[in-house]
């Protein structure tokens, strides 16, 4: 890897003087990426981290009334149920902390604290990266779980 140098005009160049171009996040619109390639953009959790997806909040109340978008957003942000997408390479490897083995696996719904982890969105879908010891339980059926 070549060494980076900051020039007087604040542009980056490599050790051979060639400019280093760092693209901005918004240079590519989500719609320009084929749908089959969008899933490939999920980050790979490293170390003892777990990548989780946020289940979408229901669009209506049990009575049938439609929820406002802001209500659904708050429910998704503050959810205590997450879906495990990927587990990092060191998650649950510490036999001292996890003597009975992993607490969860890919495909599980887990209980965590509200707002736990690092939150981010990919193409409008929210994900979180949590620590392996953030999992407080595994649930078979996540329906009906809400933050108290």
């Amino acid at each position: 890897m070549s060494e980076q140098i900051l020039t007087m005009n604040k542009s980056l160049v490599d050790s051979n003087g060639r400019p280093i171009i760092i693209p901005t996040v918004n240079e590519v619109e989500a719609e320009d990426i084929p749908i089959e390639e969008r899933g490939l953009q999920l980050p790979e959790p490293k170390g003892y981290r777990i990548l989780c997806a946020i289940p979408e909040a229901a669009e209506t109340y049990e009575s049938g009334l439609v929820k406002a978008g802001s209500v659904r957003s708050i429910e998704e942000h503050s959810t205590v149920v997450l879906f495990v997408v990927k587990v990092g390479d060191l998650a649950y490897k510490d036999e001292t902390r996890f003597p009975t083995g992993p607490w969860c696996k890919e495909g599980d719904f887990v209980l965590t604290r509200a707002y736990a982890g690092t939150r981010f969105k990919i193409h409008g879908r929210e994900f979180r990266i949590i620590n392996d010891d953030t999992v407080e339980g595994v649930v078979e059926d996540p329906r009906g779980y809400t933050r108290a």
Side-chain angles (χ1 to χ4, degrees):
M1 184 167 177
S2 62
E3 192 173 314
Q4 295 180 358
I5 302 167
L6 188 62
T7 63
M8 294 291 285
N9 67 357
K10 307 261 193 244
S11 63
L12 286 174
V13 296
D14 65 16
S15 57
N16 295 322
R18 291 187 298 257
I20 298 172
I21 308 299
I22 302 172
T24 64
V25 174
N26 294 326
E27 282 186 4
V28 177
E29 294 295 324
E31 296 78 26
D32 295 340
I33 301 170
I35 192 74
E36 59 274 2
E37 292 181 21
R38 292 183 189 180
L40 302 176
Q41 297 178 354
L42 291 177
E44 191 68 36
K46 297 297 180 185
Y48 54 89
R49 308 283 199 276
I50 300 172
L51 174 66
C52 298
I54 306 297
E56 291 184 15
E59 293 183 15
T60 60
Y61 292 101
E62 288 181 20
S63 65
L65 288 173
V66 176
K67 293 179 183 177
S70 59
V71 171
R72 290 185 62 215
S73 179
I74 290 169
E75 287 179 0
E76 289 175 1
H77 289 1
S78 65
T79 187
V80 294
V81 177
L82 305 175
F83 179 76
V84 177
V85 178
K86 293 183 182 180
V87 178
D89 56 339
L90 296 178
Y92 303 115
K93 298 290 189 221
D94 185 344
E95 293 178 9
T96 306
R97 293 177 62 213
F98 308 105
T100 59
W103 292 354
C104 67
K105 63 187 181 314
E106 292 177 8
D108 283 346
F109 284 96
V110 296
L111 286 175
T112 64
R113 293 176 182 252
Y115 306 105
T118 303
R119 297 174 40 215
F120 60 96
K121 287 187 177 185
I122 299 175
H123 303 297
R125 182 71 188 250
E126 185 174 337
F127 293 86
R128 291 188 198 167
I129 294 181
I130 61 172
N131 296 337
D132 56 3
D133 61 356
T134 304
V135 173
E136 297 186 4
V138 176
V139 297
E140 291 296 318
D141 185 357
R143 292 175 291 186
Y145 282 85
T146 58
R147 190 177 80 127

